[in-house]
Every structure is written in structure tokens, then in C-alpha cells.
Amino acid sequence: MPFRLWAVPRAALSSTLLAAGLGLAVPALAEPLASPESATTLSEISVSGTGRPSGPSETAGSLTVPSVAAQRAAVNATVGSVAFVDATTFQNRYANTVRDVLKDVPGVFVQERYGQEMRLSIRGSGIARGFHVRGIELLQDGIPLNLADGSGDFYQIDPLSLRSVEVYKGGNALTFGTTTLGGAVNFVTPTAYTALAPNIVRIDGGSFNTVREHFQVSRISGPADFLISGTATNSDGFRDHETQRTRNVNANFGYRLAPGVETRFTLGFYDTDQKLPGSLSLFDALNNPRIANPAAISGNQSRKVTTERIANRTSFELEVGRLDIDSWAIHKNLYHPIFQVIDQDGWTYGVAPRWAGTFDLGGYRNDLILGLRAFAGINDARQFVNVAGLRGAQTLNARQSASNYEAYAENRFWFLPDVALMTGAKLFSSNRTYSDKGGLPANPTARFATVTYEGINPKLGLLWQPLPEIQVFADVTRSRDVPDFSDLAQTNLLRTTFVPLAAQRAWTYEAGSRGRIDRLAWDVTLYRAEIRDALINFTPNPGLNIPAATFNAPRTRHQGIEAAVTLDLATDLTGVGDGLSLTQIWTHNDFRFVGDPVFGNNRIAGVPVDVLRTVLGYRHPSGFYLAPALDWVPQGAFADHANTLKVPGYALLGLQTGIDFANGVSLFVDARNLTDERYVSDIAVVTNASTVAGGPAAFFPGNGRSVFGGVRASF
């Protein structure tokens, strides 16, 4: 799993300037541009589990979606901790979930529950929430996937329909207007200009009766281009009552309206039918991991989601810089029988202009981003008694409305040829309105509540590049996480109640370095976040799959280390240009309450302290590759905030191998948990496990031994 460094222009935010600069710089790779006064190279680290080179289309791109090399450049112009993942690094895996895409990124904690349901946490964002996502903005091609209240899930993300992934940790996501604790993850889809091939056909499958088919077709015709891709997945899953059926279609159509003006429409249809096996006791999770919770079976618990999305970006190349105008609309229908049947239907829509440009300021280079975002949504939220997965008597008839107005700016001022001062800020106003219409036998009283969150989130940082392939950075950012309706509209067995929580506020300090010297490459960041009114979750009754309750903890502290180091061990082992490399990824999480009136200085439950991943990668110029990997969690996470119960640590051994033939055909095998380790993958956190008779049914077992294989044809 080697790191690769690429020479790119310093802090180049204009796509046109990036494309022009990279066209000159890429052939030389790590060589700097000629004039350090006008441009400085930036290093980039991408992770590859197979040790294979990046994709063949590094210089292609258009105004609305720049080339992959330009995407890298924009990410690594950031003053702070970021990561870039090229889709070529996971195309030869059974990449079914976001974990398969992001597991090689330090500082990103992703654990599977079942199917596509998982926990995603960056720097402790939503640390105790094991469902969906909080504190991280998910985007596709720079346009939000989250709903207007900030909530989001992973069912719209098809790993086989991605070209790259950009991870902006914490306040480093200000470039998108995001200032949450966790930051943003931008999933970039291919266009006809950036696709790995005009036609791709793929079929893979393996354990748990898994079969998946995928196709992608793209064409360019004069000023027009289009791409369409689709994926169908069928799997019985590792556990009982875990059957997964998904159908995803992504398409985009671009057109050059005039020189320097381009518009692109993106369409998506996503249909998921996922059975839910529920959580187990710790004993059953470790000894009978394939069984389902009896309540999950009797209630036929499942999650059926249908989502349609349309988005547009129209880009204008100006005399100075570039203007992008984004707009989007998302329709989501959810049928979700758990402890009750949750039946929701809603729309999210928004518009976001953004200008980015580079100009001289007093004889010094200056890079500036200015942006506005306005987005809102309405969600009809109904609940019914669950009668074996069908609607019984109605218990809730409510409407959830959210609106957001944001303005942001980020500036990089190069006061020395190799040192930049970064300043930025975001102003926001977010409203959440909840209307319970009542009028039901189980809920006769109408209720109405509204709350508005406002504030300013500043950012300050420095970037120093002493050598073309080495960067050192430090910054401080302010974040605010506004509660979503899963936090505000809390449900118990009797009714749903609006809880007016405060927004979570934090100051995050980080310092780090990334670069390469000879055979050694690194990406290391240390951070510390001082948090007030942290949004902390606990699950009242995990066995019934009741949504977690949320409270504001007065003070908490998140600190940790995000590190990835690669050493090229050897080259020309057999005299034909092959190579061997070793990569170590380490995420250290130290998340605690601070003087809490109930939990003192305990650790916040849900995430283990250390998560390590080691990969030994061998590559051969014939296209053959082999990459054994070890995922190790020395000590498991606490299951409760009282710190009375901790799950065991574990180690998982995996292996990837395959071959890419010159004619565009590829074969691969992805073997996981080869020792069939019994372990807990995720936890539905409770407050105090010692008070639950027999222990809480709060644990999700990890998948057992599995082997997947596939064939892909690119032509």
C-alpha cells in the first residue's frame, strides 16, 4: 500500500489554472515548477492497497469536474489534515460500503453493522451514534447529500460509481462551507472525461450468496458528454435476517454552452431493501454471531429507502477565477419498521454560488474562496404500531422543517514563497421547526416547537513548505454542530417529544506534516478539540432498536493522532521492475468527558482507543499484485458511558490478490477475516451497562470469514 507524491501548483483553486499547471508538472511528478515566486509544489499522498499506479486518465477533465490530478491539487492546497483516495485503489476489492472506500484513511473510523449500515466518525463526530451520520457533511461532486437538518446516511453512495473521494477533516472542510467537528467527505463521480474507460462491465460475488453486477458507459460528442452507471447487489448477509437488495443508477450530462461556460446535470436513483438483524448480547455476539435478535424477526425489522436526486453545476471561467453555481433537489421515501414503523417522505433543495480565484495582493500571491449556501427541506414524519413489519394504529403525524443560510470565505496569503497564512470564517443561521399535528388516539395533543441556531465560525492557520515534497501545517478552527431531527425529536415507547438541545461548539487545534523523503512517505496529524454542549447519544433499549436519545454534555475533550507511514522496502526483486512496500496506518482516539456531573472524566463510549491497519503490498509490472493486511484493535471500546463494560479487542487477517491484463480485463480475489475471528464490530451505546439485568443487547458482531471474487472488463 504505497504512498505516492505528485507535484502540483501551490494552493491552486482555479480549475483552469490547475489543469494548465498540472499539464506541465505531471510528467516530472515530484519536480517543482520553474518559478518558486509564482508557484510552489504541494505534495499529495494517496493510499493503494495493491501497490498499483494511479488511473490512466490524469490529465482529462472539464470545467465543471476537473481532472483527477486537479482534484488532488485542490485537496492538498488545504492548510490542514486532508486525504485523497483515487478509485483505482479500491476497484479491485469487494467495495460494497463506505468502509471499503475509507478504511485506509487515517483518522476516519468506519465500522459496519450490517449491509450498508455503519458508524462513520471523524475526530469523534457523532461518537456515540451508531446509526447514520452526524457531524460530517456528505457531498457528491461538491454538492450536499445530507438532508437539510444535517442528517444523512450511506445508501446513496455506490463505491463502484466513484472516481475519487476527498476527505476534509474538521474545519478544513470550510472550502465547501462546512464547519462541523468531523468535516466533510466529498464523493466524486466520473464524467466521460475522467472515466477509467468508455465502457466498464463488472460482476463479482462470493460469501453469503452475494452477487453484484455493474456497468458504466460514457461518451463525448462535440460540446456534449454523458455517463451512466448502474449497480445491482443481492446478498443474504452474514447473519440471519440480513438480506440486502440494492439498485443504484447514477448519470451525468455535461454541455459547453460557450467558451469558458459549462453546465452539468447529475441524476441519481437509489433503491435499498435491507433486512435488519438487530443487536445481541455480548455473549451471543461472540459465540452465536449469525443469529438475529428475536425482536428483529418478530417485527420483521427492515429499512426500505427510495431516493431520487437531481443536481446541477454551471461553471463560468472569468477573467479572474471561476464561478460555480450549484443547485440540487433530493426526494427521499423511508419505510422503516423497527420498534414502530417509521414512515417518512421528504424533500431537500438548495442553491450555492461559489467563487474561487488567485490574484496578486501588494505583490504577493493570494488565493480566495467566497461562497453562499441556502438550503431547506420538509419531511412528513409518521409512525405506526409495528405489526410484523406492517403498519398498525398510527401513533405520530408530524412535520419536520429545516432551513439554513450560510456565507463563508477562506483566504490563503503567501507572504513568503514557501509560507502561507490562511484565514477564514463562516456565518450561519439554521432553523429547525417541529409540528406534531396530534389528533390520534395514541397522540391526541398537537405540539409545535421551533429553534434557531446562529453563529460565526472562524479559522486561522499556517502552511510551510520547506521542500517541494514536504509540508508542515498548523491551524485552529471553530465548529458548531446543529442538532438534527433524530436528536431533537426523541422517541420512546409512548410518544415522540421535541427536546430543544443546544448546538455543539468546539475549538479544534491541529498540527501535522505530510511528505516524502526517498523511500519514506508520511502523513501525520495531532489534534485536540475542546467541546462544549457535546451531543452525546445513548440507546434506551438496544434490543428493541429504539432510536438513541441525545443530551448535551457540558464539557468533553477529543484528542488524537492520525498517522500513515509507508516504506518502500525493495524494488526489482525479480529483476523486472516489481516492488514491495509496507504501510502502517494508526488512528488514536482519546475522547473523554471533562468534569461531567454524572460521568466525571470517563471515556466516551463507542469508539476504541487505537485502530491500526498494516498492509504489505507487492506489485509486478505484468499486472499481478498481492497485498496481505492486518486490522488490529488492541483494546475494544467501552459499551457504556459509565465505563463498566468493554468489548474485547481483535485482529483480522485479510488478503487481496489479482491481475490486470493488458487487454483491459481484470481478475481479483478479496479474502477477509481469514482466521474467522469472533469480534464486536459496533455498539449501541448505553449509559450504564451494570444496571441492565443480564447485560444489554447492544452489540453487533463482525462478519466471519468471507471470500469475494470478480472480473472486470474495461474497453
Side-chain angles (χ1 to χ4, degrees), residues 677-688:
E677 177 89 355
R678 303 289 177 89
Y679 69 103
V680 171
S681 175
D682 198 17
I683 305 167
V685 170
V686 297
T687 53
N688 191 332

Side-chain angles (χ1 to χ4, degrees), residues 371-373 405-409 425-428:
L372 300 171
R373 297 202 300 182
Y405 302 96
E406 303 172 352
Y408 63 95
K426 171 183 169 180
L427 290 76
F428 73 95

Side-chain angles (χ1 to χ4, degrees), residues 11 28 68 79 204 345 474 570-571 624 643 659 671 709:
V68 176
V79 183
D204 53 35
D345 190 88
T571 56
F624 172 77
N643 291 180
I659 187 167

Side-chain angles (χ1 to χ4, degrees), residues 423-615:
T423 55
K426 171 183 169 180
L427 290 76
F428 73 95
S429 177
S430 298
N431 177 266
R432 305 289 181 262
T433 298
Y434 181 79
S435 176
D436 184 344
K437 301 176 184 179
L440 303 172
N443 184 21
T445 305
R447 299 175 181 85
F448 176 85
T450 185
V451 59
T452 298
Y453 303 91
E454 297 177 330
I456 301 175
N457 295 334
K459 180 180 179 182
L460 178 68
L462 279 174
L463 174 67
W464 176 43
Q465 189 163 347
L467 295 173
E469 294 189 347
I470 298 176
Q471 290 179 328
V472 181
F473 56 84
D475 62 78
V476 56
T477 58
R478 172 80 160 177
S479 65
R480 277 185 175 86
D481 290 24
V482 174
D484 61 29
F485 281 112
S486 294
D487 301 315
L488 296 170
Q490 299 190 21
T491 304
N492 54 41
L493 288 174
L494 299 177
R495 64 172 191 171
T496 300
T497 304
F498 186 87
V499 180
L501 297 166
Q504 174 180 292
R505 313 179 309 280
W507 284 101
T508 300
Y509 310 86
E510 71 172 19
S513 175
R514 50 183 174 252
R516 184 182 186 96
I517 298 176
D518 195 23
R519 295 186 176 188
L520 178 68
W522 70 91
D523 183 357
V524 180
T525 301
L526 288 75
Y527 72 90
R528 179 169 179 163
E530 299 287 351
I531 306 171
R532 297 298 180 98
D533 290 326
L535 295 165
I536 300 292
N537 291 97
F538 67 93
T539 303
N541 192 327
L544 292 179
N545 210 352
I546 296 176
T550 308
F551 64 94
N552 286 120
R555 290 186 61 198
T556 59
R557 177 179 297 125
H558 295 187
Q559 57 189 4
I561 302 171
E562 305 160 343
V565 180
T566 288
L567 179 64
D568 293 334
L569 297 175
T571 56
D572 299 326
L573 291 172
T574 61
V576 290
D578 55 355
L580 185 68
S581 64
L582 179 67
T583 293
Q584 179 63 61
I585 300 168
W586 175 35
T587 299
H588 177 70
N589 307 303
D590 182 8
F591 307 148
R592 295 180 180 272
F593 296 95
V594 178
D596 190 84
V598 177
F599 302 112
N601 296 321
N602 286 357
R603 291 194 183 277
I604 302 172
V607 174
V609 174
D610 292 295
V611 181
L612 299 103
R613 177 171 169 82
T614 307
V615 180

Side-chain angles (χ1 to χ4, degrees), residues 105-260:
V105 178
V108 177
F109 181 76
V110 196
Q111 286 295 91
E112 296 173 344
R113 284 193 161 195
Y114 37 74
Q116 290 181 306
E117 187 62 49
M118 66 199 68
R119 176 198 300 275
L120 173 62
S121 179
I122 300 176
R123 298 183 173 179
S125 61
I127 178 175
R129 177 191 279 189
F131 61 97
H132 312 326
V133 63
R134 189 218 283 129
I136 301 173
E137 184 159 1
L138 305 180
L139 307 109
Q140 180 176 310
D141 304 316
I143 300 175
L145 289 174
N146 291 40
L147 302 183
D149 69 339
S151 63
D153 56 37
F154 311 99
Y155 295 92
Q156 298 177 48
I157 301 167
D158 177 7
L160 298 187
S161 296
L162 300 178
R163 186 59 184 89
S164 65
V165 183
E166 303 168 350
V167 181
Y168 293 80
K169 303 170 192 173
N172 300 310
L174 181 60
T175 185
F176 295 113
T178 302
T179 53
T180 56
L181 179 67
V185 182
N186 184 29
F187 299 92
V188 182
T189 58
T191 69
Y193 291 99
T194 61
L196 293 169
N199 307 284
I200 298 175
V201 179
R202 169 178 175 144
I203 183 168
D204 53 35
S207 297
F208 322 133
N209 295 322
T210 298
V211 177
R212 182 172 59 170
E213 303 97 2
H214 172 77
F215 77 91
Q216 179 178 297
V217 177
S218 61
R219 295 292 186 273
I220 300 173
S221 177
D225 68 273
F226 78 89
L227 181 144
I228 182 170
S229 68
T231 304
T233 303
N234 297 274
S235 178
D236 290 343
F238 171 65
R239 299 175 60 193
D240 296 337
H241 205 259
E242 195 187 335
T243 304
Q244 174 191 0
R245 303 285 184 265
T246 64
R247 305 291 183 269
N248 297 326
V249 177
N250 285 280
N252 65 78
F253 171 78
Y255 193 85
R256 293 197 305 273
L257 299 170

